[in-house]
Amino acid sequence: MGQFDYLRDQISNNIWIDKEILQISEAVTTALNEGQEWYFSLPHLQFIMANPVMGGIKDLLTASQDLGATVLDCNLVFLETVYGINKAFNSKVHKDLAGKAQVELAKLAANNTEKAIYEASVMAHNESLNLPELSVKVAAIEAEIASIQQQGATATEQIEQWKNDAITKLEELKNELLALIEGLQGNPRSNARARLRKVEAGIAAMQTGNIPPIIAMNPYEISSQFDLSIHSTFRKAPVVLNAIVPIAVGGAATVAGAATVLTGIASWLLSSFFLKAVNIPATLLPALTNTVVSIVLKVMGSAGANATRYLAASALKAGQSLLPKLFGATGMQASGWAYLMAWATPIIGAAVIIIQAMRNKLLLADMLYTFAELRDVPGKFNLTQAHMIDTNRVEILEEFKTCAKDLISEARLPIERIIGVGLDRQKEYAVCYILTNPDSPVQVSGNEAIAAALGADKIARIASGQFGFFDWE
């Protein structure tokens, strides 16, 4: 049984929580039935599997033992997330939805779980997905990406179908109420007439105005290096001079920090890949992006998932005039639900990739060695060793810092420098830090740089497999 299988109880006859206006798209229904098979049938995923440029993402997906479960989890959490966003969008209590999001994020404590999620998001950006390198490679195949066949009905067609269905159901209810009122008196008649007015108002709202023709083939040339400060009506991103750069290690390991990193990843995956062939209004693109982020945070166990729903709802509010008008029999507005539901495939497609990238542990250290070089005894050092199991980057760094502090406190002679290196299960370098000041570690990147920083004596010590706290030999 999956982690989020309990959410299946909220689904009945392809609608959510028994509200007819909250129709579930065919894509999500199929995904919940077929899981991984559905995911790999998507045109964009088939492109990933066939194109060498996307080989890094392909490896992430094919190496995973739990991809099918992740696909199911993302679809179920997508439904819960979009419902939450629609509720926030309709809220009469919170006028400043973005402000509400920031307040909620600020309340959340940066506990070990949240710190690990932050570290995993940085790892996904810098290493697992390697966006700095991938963004450059993808620039050469933008035309191929833009030509990927879109699957199923377009978002506009899907929304129009849902709107017409809603109008038909309300018209039927209107006729039923008109017939019912003829035989009622007193309060029952007044109640029925009040309900009739609500139904008529919903019909009128849906029949006036159409969705602007904003979702079509993209006539613009869009660079894979995108600009987040978009001011035009459409997502027309000019060529940006600054490429995507690695995120510095040691940033604010907070929930808000993780959300910021994940927003950057989600924005790139949507604008440069999944939605390359379509136009999205600049005001509404963050609604899709923050929906992705909320799903990722929820599946990864972060308390920040609810806060980012307010950010998505805020974007929907900003682009409210571009949304369809959908109302149910009770007067519930489902505009936010319908808009995001129509984009289920790219949202879920991006969320699955990000989660698998965050869970990638191929580069995590299994064995840690921390060396304290002795100032007055050239070529000699103190050494500690630690074995890590089922860990993450935050825990690894904390263990390095603890080992370094222990070496300092127990040293009999002055220490010149402290360096820590972690090896993965293949006995290859996974991570390295200069820890002379344990509270301000400096990361060393690249196998050659790590080997040079260690020196032949320490490399030989690791290769020997022998361990002793105080080495005088």
Side-chain angles (χ1 to χ4, degrees), residues 364-399:
L364 288 181
D366 183 59
M367 192 67 70
L368 310 185
Y369 298 88
T370 309
F371 300 88
E373 299 171 350
L374 302 178
R375 183 179 304 164
D376 299 329
V377 188
K380 299 299 180 179
F381 47 78
N382 295 345
L383 165 66
T384 65
Q385 183 188 56
H387 186 211
M388 307 296 288
I389 300 175
D390 191 23
T391 188
N392 56 65
R393 291 298 178 93
V394 171
E395 292 175 352
I396 288 171
L397 180 54
E398 289 302 313
E399 182 64 26

Side-chain angles (χ1 to χ4, degrees), residues 45-75:
L45 268 296
Q46 292 175 354
F47 182 86
I48 287 174
M49 303 307 288
N51 196 296
V53 171
M54 312 297 285
I57 297 178
K58 174 185 175 182
D59 290 343
L60 283 175
L61 298 175
T62 56
S64 171
Q65 299 298 310
D66 60 357
L67 180 64
T70 301
V71 171
L72 293 176
D73 285 347
C74 284
N75 275 275

Side-chain angles (χ1 to χ4, degrees), residues 279-317:
N279 288 327
I280 300 291
T283 52
L284 290 176
L285 181 59
L288 277 64
T289 300
N290 282 293
T291 302
V292 173
V293 174
S294 182
I295 293 170
V296 171
L297 290 175
K298 177 76 173 184
V299 173
M300 296 299 291
S302 171
N306 289 334
T308 49
R309 292 177 187 178
Y310 285 104
L311 292 175
S314 177
L316 292 177
K317 277 289 186 183

Side-chain angles (χ1 to χ4, degrees), residues 6-60:
Y6 67 91
L7 292 173
R8 290 181 182 271
D9 294 338
Q10 306 298 322
I11 303 170
S12 178
N13 298 320
N14 291 333
I15 62 173
W16 183 252
I17 61 170
D18 291 327
K19 294 186 180 296
E20 288 191 351
I21 195 63
L22 301 182
Q23 295 193 46
I24 298 172
S25 69
E26 182 181 350
V28 174
T29 300
T30 304
L32 291 175
N33 289 328
E34 300 178 3
Q36 183 173 312
E37 183 179 347
W38 166 83
Y39 193 67
F40 281 129
S41 74
L42 302 177
H44 285 82
L45 268 296
Q46 292 175 354
F47 182 86
I48 287 174
M49 303 307 288
N51 196 296
V53 171
M54 312 297 285
I57 297 178
K58 174 185 175 182
D59 290 343
L60 283 175

Side-chain angles (χ1 to χ4, degrees), residues 102-126:
Q102 297 304 326
V103 169
E104 292 301 314
L105 285 171
K107 289 180 181 177
L108 300 174
N111 55 34
N112 287 338
T113 297
E114 300 295 357
K115 289 178 180 178
I117 290 172
Y118 170 80
E119 187 70 17
S121 67
V122 173
M123 180 187 71
H125 182 280
N126 291 349

